[in-house]
Amino acid sequence: MAKDLEKQLEYFGVPWEEAHGYAQAVRVGNTIYVSGQLSHDDDGKLVGPAPVNASGRVTDTSNMELQMRTTYANAAKLLARFGATLDHVVEETIYVTDVDAAFAVAGPAREAAYGKEQPECASTLAGVTRLAFPEQLVEISFTVVPPG
């Protein structure tokens, strides 16, 4: 019989965790896997929602930087529960609905989040057709390895 994998799970208590059935982050051994984070407040309301037209398509991406900065802040709050910080991120994947808008703001947003002009992690930026919420412009997942 295989030994059960020891996991530490963390949640924000937002409605979509239960609806979709997932944890925001899972620690296994010394590695933390962070689910795609987005720009929401403590009540689960989207911060800086993009305006959408009647067919649900984004009409203005000017809130990309606000959403990106808030997403990094949410990830930092989550990592603090494990005694980790964004300094311990080894890989991130940034999903965006508009690659050009993301490239225009990603440098300053990432520098502010990581506190370095060149964050010390592998990073992938991928353009997608849509994210979980129509007004959502960015989602970021992380792999984190704190020391110890």
Side-chain angles (χ1 to χ4, degrees), residues 49-61 97-98 128-131 133-137:
V52 295
N53 64 21
S55 55
R57 296 207 186 274
V58 170
T59 59
D60 180 357
T61 60
T97 57
D98 186 309
V128 298
T129 304
R130 201 194 118 175
L131 293 163
F133 302 104
E135 306 86 1
Q136 184 182 352
L137 300 171

Side-chain angles (χ1 to χ4, degrees), residues 35-110:
S35 296
Q37 296 300 295
L38 58 117
S39 175
H40 64 83
D41 64 16
D42 291 339
D43 297 321
K45 293 180 185 157
L46 200 61
V47 173
V52 295
N53 64 21
S55 55
R57 296 207 186 274
V58 170
T59 59
D60 180 357
T61 60
S62 62
N63 282 341
M64 178 71 77
E65 185 170 6
L66 173 60
Q67 284 197 22
M68 197 174 282
R69 286 177 184 263
T70 307
T71 298
Y72 279 112
N74 285 341
K77 286 182 204 173
L78 193 58
L79 291 176
R81 297 180 186 180
F82 295 96
T85 69
L86 290 172
D87 288 337
H88 303 127
V89 170
V90 296
E91 181 180 34
E92 67 178 12
T93 303
I94 306 169
Y95 302 94
V96 296
T97 57
D98 186 309
V99 172
D100 293 331
F103 269 122
V105 301
R110 292 179 73 242

